[in-house]
Amino acid sequence: MKAEIITITGETNYGNRLQNYAVEQVLFKLGVDAVTYNACPIGFDALKFELKRIIKYIIKRGSYCRDSRFYGFNKFNRKYIHCVKNHQPDADYAVCGSDQIWNFKWDTIWEKRDLYFARFVPPEKRIAYSASISCDEIEPKYREDFIKGVSEMKSISVREQKGADIIYELAGRKVGVTVDPTIMLSRSEWMKIAKKPKCVNKKRKYILTYFLGGIDGIDSDIQSFIDRVAEKYGLEIIDLYHEWTNVDKIKNMHHFRFSPDEFVWLAANCEIMFTDSFHGSIFSIIMDKPFRCFERVENIVGSMNSRMEQLFGEIGISDWCTGNTAENVENIFYKNYNNVSSVWSKDREKAYNYLKGALGLNEV
């Protein structure tokens, strides 16, 4: 069986690239020959991009730092993602997901809605796997097209219960909820691709920060709290940056250019992570690291915390992992993952069963 993965590509977001890798790995485990459509420049296009990057570096063009980050992500894509430039007409299914492929509050998602609903193939070939709406409602101007899109899919699973509720409310269709694909891989599986950044001293213990809520830097109260923790315990601070962080807010350009496989290594080796990121939280849990997740609000799409609440509630960690700048720093390294193994084991089985049914593998 062959499948073509349809997800958000061309971004330099860690969670986006790592969930794409995880979807491919899950499908491979099921014996499906999977590729990802348009994940990165390949062939001559890749060479052309690299030549442009080198020229920009030589003449010191301002966008060089972003191009360098993009290059690192493309290098990861070429090594770990099975990229194809064109749609695959011989694919048995188009698998849409994961990530926020149905969050129409992002203009780029709305503009590519035909792609993210896989309208280039017949309805019987359209599968959604852990697709995410990642907001509390579908605005009225988008609803007609959204209802049509979800109604025509052969099978659907979404990443959040709120997404399932929205689909049922608008389209009258009951759909399953399956975990984010990154959860489907174990720590040992992720460590196979982990790469130590050259600029990081392995002997130095560090705090890892990863905040996506704004492009102007971390909230000052949160930054002061992190600084107190670092000073008390003699820890270095390594910042992971939002891809659109203002250049003048980037303290270390080496850190801005970290690649997805370096993200995995950093998450696995930090003392603690401070974040507002869904995938920052997930990788802290996978790597058995303490973390604190602060509330994230986007200017464009509003609150994005329902998925955090669902994730933390299911494994019973909401009481200690929620970020609070008034927390006693004496307790900052506390963690309790006693329920994670049993809950995620069931979640993984549920996701595999969904995919087997959606892809008709139970009939083989």
Side-chain angles (χ1 to χ4, degrees):
M1 180 178 290
K2 295 183 178 181
E4 179 179 8
I5 297 167
I6 305 300
T7 190
I8 300 168
T9 63
E11 303 292 330
T12 58
N13 174 280
Y14 298 111
N16 168 271
R17 292 295 78 224
L18 293 171
Q19 66 80 23
N20 189 174
Y21 171 79
V23 172
E24 283 199 358
Q25 294 302 306
V26 168
L27 291 173
F28 292 157
K29 288 183 181 183
L30 291 173
V32 178
D33 182 9
V35 297
T36 298
Y37 168 65
N38 201 25
C40 66
I42 55 180
F44 179 72
D45 289 338
L47 177 62
K48 187 166 61 174
F49 171 81
E50 178 57 7
L51 288 173
K52 286 182 178 179
R53 185 183 76 92
I54 293 171
I55 292 170
K56 285 182 179 181
Y57 173 70
I58 293 172
I59 64 176
K60 305 299 181 184
R61 280 276 297 276
S63 61
Y64 167 71
C65 64
R66 298 201 188 282
D67 285 350
S68 293
R69 178 176 169 122
F70 196 62
Y71 171 74
F73 273 70
N74 279 340
K75 189 175 180 180
F76 173 86
N77 286 337
R78 290 194 295 272
K79 185 173 182 179
Y80 293 112
I81 307 294
H82 294 74
C83 312
V84 293
K85 188 175 181 178
N86 301 307
H87 291 302
Q88 306 297 290
D90 61 339
D92 298 285
Y93 291 101
V95 179
C96 304
S98 170
D99 216 347
Q100 301 176 46
I101 60 168
W102 294 342
N103 185 349
F104 290 161
K105 289 188 177 182
W106 296 111
D107 290 340
T108 53
I109 302 299
W110 170 247
E111 291 166 2
K112 294 183 177 181
R113 61 193 181 279
D114 288 346
L115 171 67
Y116 296 129
F117 281 125
R119 287 171 172 152
F120 56 92
V121 298
E124 63 270 18
K125 289 188 174 185
R126 303 175 193 173
I127 304 295
Y129 168 42
S130 290
S132 179
I133 300 169
S134 201
C135 52
D136 292 335
E137 66 171 351
I138 302 295
E139 293 182 17
K141 61 182 177 180
Y142 302 133
R143 286 178 185 171
E144 182 179 352
D145 202 272
F146 177 81
I147 292 169
K148 184 176 185 294
V150 297
S151 297
E152 291 177 345
M153 302 289 291
K154 174 182 180 288
S155 298
I156 296 176
S157 77
V158 291
R159 196 173 66 183
E160 295 92 21
Q161 182 60 50
K162 184 63 179 178
D165 294 341
I166 289 172
I167 291 173
Y168 182 71
E169 177 185 347
L170 295 181
R173 181 172 184 174
K174 291 184 178 181
V175 302
V177 179
T178 50
V179 291
D180 187 87
T182 54
I183 293 172
M184 300 294 287
L185 305 187
S186 66
R187 183 185 189 279
S188 61
E189 288 174 308
W190 281 116
M191 290 308 294
K192 290 178 182 178
I193 70 166
K195 176 184 175 183
K196 178 190 169 300
K198 292 180 180 179
C199 66
V200 174
N201 185 339
K202 196 173 184 178
K203 295 180 180 179
R204 285 281 290 162
K205 294 184 177 181
Y206 61 89
I207 290 168
L208 191 64
T209 76
Y210 185 38
F211 288 85
L212 301 177
I215 61 174
D216 294 324
I218 302 174
D219 177 88
S220 59
D221 290 340
I222 297 174
Q223 185 65 67
S224 296
F225 178 70
I226 294 171
D227 290 341
R228 289 206 310 274
V229 175
E231 182 178 0
K232 178 175 177 58
Y233 295 102
L235 300 173
E236 183 182 350
I237 299 174
I238 294 179
D239 297 312
L240 295 168
Y241 292 98
H242 190 294
E243 60 194 298
W244 299 115
T245 303
N246 288 331
V247 174
D248 61 346
K249 299 293 183 180
I250 299 173
K251 299 175 185 177
N252 189 317
M253 284 297 176
H254 291 295
H255 296 177
F256 180 74
R257 295 193 289 261
F258 286 140
S259 59
D261 41 356
E262 290 174 327
F263 171 94
V264 174
W265 189 94
L266 290 163
N269 289 278
C270 69
E271 299 301 306
I272 186 171
M273 186 188 294
F274 293 103
T275 188
D276 64 357
S277 158
F278 179 68
H279 285 104
S281 300
I282 284 178
F283 275 91
S284 296
I285 300 167
I286 290 173
M287 299 304 174
D288 194 31
K289 294 292 181 177
F291 76 101
R292 297 297 183 267
C293 183
F294 291 84
E295 183 175 2
R296 174 184 172 192
V297 176
E298 292 279 5
N299 293 332
I300 298 175
V301 297
S303 177
M304 301 179 71
N305 293 299
S306 63
R307 55 184 178 164
M308 311 289 198
E309 294 167 2
Q310 179 178 319
L311 172 68
F312 302 156
E314 283 182 348
I315 55 179
I317 65 172
S318 301
D319 57 336
W320 62 261
C321 75
T322 303
N324 179 2
T325 56
E327 181 179 2
N328 187 339
V329 296
E330 299 285 346
N331 303 321
I332 199 64
F333 297 107
Y334 176 81
K335 61 183 175 69
N336 183 343
Y337 292 132
N338 290 341
N339 296 326
V340 172
S341 179
S342 59
V343 173
W344 279 6
S345 177
K346 293 177 182 177
D347 286 340
R348 288 164 179 157
E349 182 180 8
K350 179 181 178 182
Y352 275 121
N353 287 337
Y354 163 75
L355 282 168
K356 288 176 183 177
L359 299 169
L361 297 175
N362 290 328
E363 302 166 8
V364 177

